[in-house]
Short mmCIF file of all heavy atoms in Angstrom, two decimals:
data_model
loop_
_atom_site.label_atom_id
_atom_site.label_comp_id
_atom_site.label_asym_id
_atom_site.label_seq_id
_atom_site.Cartn_x
_atom_site.Cartn_y
_atom_site.Cartn_z
N VAL A 1093 3.80 -14.37 -10.89
CA VAL A 1093 4.20 -14.76 -12.22
C VAL A 1093 5.60 -15.42 -12.16
O VAL A 1093 6.39 -15.12 -11.26
CB VAL A 1093 4.27 -13.57 -13.25
CG1 VAL A 1093 2.88 -12.97 -13.37
CG2 VAL A 1093 5.28 -12.54 -12.83
N GLY A 1094 5.86 -16.27 -13.12
CA GLY A 1094 7.21 -16.87 -13.28
C GLY A 1094 8.05 -15.96 -14.11
O GLY A 1094 7.67 -14.85 -14.46
N PRO A 1095 9.22 -16.48 -14.54
CA PRO A 1095 10.14 -15.64 -15.35
C PRO A 1095 9.64 -15.36 -16.76
O PRO A 1095 9.99 -14.39 -17.38
CB PRO A 1095 11.41 -16.47 -15.41
CG PRO A 1095 11.02 -17.86 -15.04
CD PRO A 1095 9.76 -17.81 -14.25
N TYR A 1138 9.58 -11.96 -5.38
CA TYR A 1138 9.41 -13.12 -4.49
C TYR A 1138 9.99 -12.78 -3.10
O TYR A 1138 9.52 -13.26 -2.08
CB TYR A 1138 10.10 -14.38 -5.01
CG TYR A 1138 9.48 -14.96 -6.27
CD1 TYR A 1138 10.08 -16.06 -6.88
CD2 TYR A 1138 8.30 -14.45 -6.82
CE1 TYR A 1138 9.51 -16.61 -8.02
CE2 TYR A 1138 7.73 -14.99 -7.95
CZ TYR A 1138 8.35 -16.10 -8.58
OH TYR A 1138 7.80 -16.63 -9.68
N VAL A 1151 -2.20 -17.12 -9.50
CA VAL A 1151 -0.94 -17.66 -9.98
C VAL A 1151 -0.98 -17.85 -11.47
O VAL A 1151 -1.84 -18.59 -11.98
CB VAL A 1151 -0.64 -19.02 -9.30
CG1 VAL A 1151 0.77 -19.51 -9.66
CG2 VAL A 1151 -0.79 -18.94 -7.82
N GLY A 1153 0.80 -19.29 -14.27
CA GLY A 1153 1.84 -20.15 -14.84
C GLY A 1153 2.78 -20.74 -13.76
O GLY A 1153 2.52 -20.63 -12.58
N ASP A 1154 3.90 -21.30 -14.23
CA ASP A 1154 4.86 -21.92 -13.32
C ASP A 1154 5.72 -20.88 -12.61
O ASP A 1154 5.97 -19.83 -13.11
CB ASP A 1154 5.78 -22.84 -14.11
CG ASP A 1154 5.04 -24.15 -14.47
OD1 ASP A 1154 3.97 -24.36 -13.87
OD2 ASP A 1154 5.54 -24.89 -15.33
N THR A 1155 6.17 -21.25 -11.41
CA THR A 1155 6.98 -20.32 -10.61
C THR A 1155 8.24 -21.05 -10.09
O THR A 1155 8.36 -21.31 -8.91
CB THR A 1155 6.19 -19.75 -9.44
OG1 THR A 1155 5.69 -20.85 -8.69
CG2 THR A 1155 5.08 -18.86 -9.87
N PRO A 1156 9.15 -21.42 -11.01
CA PRO A 1156 10.32 -22.18 -10.58
C PRO A 1156 11.24 -21.30 -9.69
O PRO A 1156 11.13 -20.08 -9.70
CB PRO A 1156 10.99 -22.54 -11.88
CG PRO A 1156 10.54 -21.51 -12.85
CD PRO A 1156 9.15 -21.12 -12.45
N ALA A 1157 12.10 -21.98 -8.97
CA ALA A 1157 13.01 -21.24 -8.04
C ALA A 1157 13.82 -20.20 -8.81
O ALA A 1157 14.45 -20.53 -9.81
CB ALA A 1157 13.91 -22.21 -7.32
N ALA A 1158 13.82 -18.97 -8.33
CA ALA A 1158 14.62 -17.91 -8.92
C ALA A 1158 16.04 -18.05 -8.41
O ALA A 1158 16.29 -18.72 -7.43
CB ALA A 1158 14.04 -16.55 -8.51
N ALA A 1161 16.91 -17.66 -4.75
CA ALA A 1161 16.17 -18.44 -3.74
C ALA A 1161 17.24 -19.32 -2.96
O ALA A 1161 18.08 -19.92 -3.56
CB ALA A 1161 15.20 -19.37 -4.44
N PRO A 1172 10.54 -28.36 3.25
CA PRO A 1172 11.27 -27.84 2.08
C PRO A 1172 10.31 -27.71 0.88
O PRO A 1172 9.38 -28.46 0.75
CB PRO A 1172 12.35 -28.88 1.80
CG PRO A 1172 11.93 -30.13 2.53
CD PRO A 1172 10.93 -29.68 3.61
N ALA A 1173 10.55 -26.70 0.05
CA ALA A 1173 9.68 -26.50 -1.11
C ALA A 1173 9.91 -27.63 -2.09
O ALA A 1173 11.06 -28.09 -2.27
CB ALA A 1173 10.04 -25.16 -1.76
N PRO A 1174 8.82 -28.10 -2.71
CA PRO A 1174 8.98 -29.16 -3.69
C PRO A 1174 9.84 -28.66 -4.84
O PRO A 1174 9.89 -27.46 -5.14
CB PRO A 1174 7.55 -29.40 -4.15
CG PRO A 1174 6.68 -28.63 -3.28
CD PRO A 1174 7.49 -27.59 -2.56
N ALA A 1175 10.49 -29.64 -5.45
CA ALA A 1175 11.34 -29.28 -6.60
C ALA A 1175 10.53 -28.55 -7.67
O ALA A 1175 9.34 -28.86 -7.85
CB ALA A 1175 11.96 -30.55 -7.20
N GLY A 1176 11.11 -27.55 -8.29
CA GLY A 1176 10.41 -26.87 -9.34
C GLY A 1176 9.57 -25.72 -8.87
O GLY A 1176 9.02 -24.95 -9.68
N LEU A 1177 9.46 -25.53 -7.56
CA LEU A 1177 8.64 -24.40 -7.06
C LEU A 1177 9.54 -23.54 -6.20
O LEU A 1177 10.27 -24.04 -5.31
CB LEU A 1177 7.47 -24.92 -6.19
CG LEU A 1177 6.52 -23.93 -5.61
CD1 LEU A 1177 5.77 -23.18 -6.71
CD2 LEU A 1177 5.52 -24.59 -4.65
N ASP A 1178 9.50 -22.21 -6.43
CA ASP A 1178 10.32 -21.33 -5.63
C ASP A 1178 9.86 -21.39 -4.17
O ASP A 1178 8.65 -21.35 -3.90
CB ASP A 1178 10.17 -19.87 -6.10
CG ASP A 1178 11.21 -18.99 -5.50
OD1 ASP A 1178 11.09 -18.63 -4.30
OD2 ASP A 1178 12.22 -18.69 -6.21
N PRO A 1179 10.80 -21.54 -3.24
CA PRO A 1179 10.40 -21.74 -1.84
C PRO A 1179 9.58 -20.56 -1.29
O PRO A 1179 8.69 -20.74 -0.43
CB PRO A 1179 11.71 -21.86 -1.05
CG PRO A 1179 12.78 -21.49 -2.04
CD PRO A 1179 12.23 -21.64 -3.39
N ARG A 1180 9.80 -19.34 -1.81
CA ARG A 1180 9.08 -18.20 -1.32
C ARG A 1180 7.65 -18.17 -1.82
O ARG A 1180 6.70 -17.76 -1.15
CB ARG A 1180 9.85 -16.88 -1.67
CG ARG A 1180 11.14 -16.83 -0.96
CD ARG A 1180 12.14 -15.90 -1.58
NE ARG A 1180 12.45 -16.32 -2.95
CZ ARG A 1180 13.39 -15.75 -3.68
NH1 ARG A 1180 14.10 -14.75 -3.19
NH2 ARG A 1180 13.65 -16.14 -4.91
N VAL A 1181 7.45 -18.72 -3.05
CA VAL A 1181 6.06 -18.81 -3.58
C VAL A 1181 5.38 -19.90 -2.79
O VAL A 1181 4.16 -19.79 -2.45
CB VAL A 1181 6.09 -19.13 -5.09
CG1 VAL A 1181 4.69 -19.40 -5.61
CG2 VAL A 1181 6.76 -18.00 -5.82
N HIS A 1182 6.11 -21.00 -2.46
CA HIS A 1182 5.53 -22.06 -1.65
C HIS A 1182 5.02 -21.50 -0.31
O HIS A 1182 3.91 -21.78 0.10
CB HIS A 1182 6.61 -23.10 -1.40
CG HIS A 1182 6.13 -24.33 -0.69
ND1 HIS A 1182 6.81 -24.91 0.32
CD2 HIS A 1182 5.03 -25.10 -0.96
CE1 HIS A 1182 6.13 -25.99 0.74
NE2 HIS A 1182 5.06 -26.15 -0.03
N LEU A 1185 1.90 -19.16 -0.91
CA LEU A 1185 0.64 -19.87 -1.20
C LEU A 1185 0.16 -20.60 0.03
O LEU A 1185 -1.06 -20.64 0.31
CB LEU A 1185 0.86 -20.81 -2.38
CG LEU A 1185 1.10 -20.17 -3.74
CD1 LEU A 1185 1.34 -21.18 -4.80
CD2 LEU A 1185 -0.02 -19.21 -4.08
N ARG A 1201 -0.21 -24.63 -17.90
CA ARG A 1201 1.12 -24.73 -17.34
C ARG A 1201 1.19 -24.46 -15.82
O ARG A 1201 2.21 -24.52 -15.22
CB ARG A 1201 2.06 -23.74 -18.04
CG ARG A 1201 2.36 -24.18 -19.48
CD ARG A 1201 3.31 -23.22 -20.13
NE ARG A 1201 2.84 -21.84 -20.04
CZ ARG A 1201 3.61 -20.86 -19.65
NH1 ARG A 1201 4.84 -21.02 -19.31
NH2 ARG A 1201 3.11 -19.63 -19.61
N SER A 1202 0.00 -24.06 -15.24
CA SER A 1202 0.08 -23.69 -13.83
C SER A 1202 0.07 -24.91 -12.91
O SER A 1202 -0.94 -25.42 -12.51
CB SER A 1202 -1.13 -22.82 -13.48
OG SER A 1202 -1.01 -22.52 -12.07
N ARG A 1203 1.31 -25.38 -12.63
CA ARG A 1203 1.42 -26.55 -11.76
C ARG A 1203 1.78 -26.10 -10.34
O ARG A 1203 1.93 -26.91 -9.46
CB ARG A 1203 2.54 -27.47 -12.27
CG ARG A 1203 2.16 -28.19 -13.58
CD ARG A 1203 3.28 -29.14 -13.97
NE ARG A 1203 4.46 -28.41 -14.37
CZ ARG A 1203 4.76 -28.09 -15.63
NH1 ARG A 1203 3.89 -28.42 -16.58
NH2 ARG A 1203 5.83 -27.46 -15.91
N SER A 1204 1.85 -24.74 -10.17
CA SER A 1204 2.32 -24.28 -8.87
C SER A 1204 1.38 -24.67 -7.72
O SER A 1204 1.85 -24.98 -6.64
CB SER A 1204 2.44 -22.72 -8.93
OG SER A 1204 3.36 -22.37 -9.89
N LEU A 1205 0.07 -24.65 -7.96
CA LEU A 1205 -0.83 -24.94 -6.88
C LEU A 1205 -0.66 -26.39 -6.38
O LEU A 1205 -0.51 -26.62 -5.18
CB LEU A 1205 -2.34 -24.77 -7.30
CG LEU A 1205 -2.76 -23.36 -7.62
CD1 LEU A 1205 -4.28 -23.35 -7.76
CD2 LEU A 1205 -2.32 -22.38 -6.57
N SER A 1206 -0.56 -27.34 -7.33
CA SER A 1206 -0.43 -28.71 -6.88
C SER A 1206 0.97 -28.88 -6.30
O SER A 1206 1.17 -29.59 -5.27
CB SER A 1206 -0.70 -29.67 -8.02
OG SER A 1206 0.01 -29.28 -9.14
N ALA A 1207 1.99 -28.22 -6.86
CA ALA A 1207 3.32 -28.32 -6.31
C ALA A 1207 3.36 -27.83 -4.89
O ALA A 1207 4.05 -28.30 -4.03
CB ALA A 1207 4.34 -27.57 -7.15
N ALA A 1208 2.52 -26.79 -4.60
CA ALA A 1208 2.47 -26.25 -3.21
C ALA A 1208 1.60 -27.09 -2.30
O ALA A 1208 1.45 -26.75 -1.13
CB ALA A 1208 1.94 -24.80 -3.26
#
Side-chain angles (χ1 to χ4, degrees):
V1093 298
Y1138 290 177
V1151 187
D1154 284 345
T1155 55
L1177 181 65
D1178 192 285
R1180 294 159 300 187
V1181 175
H1182 187 226
L1185 293 178
R1201 290 183 306 132
S1202 179
R1203 290 184 292 267
S1204 299
L1205 293 192
S1206 50

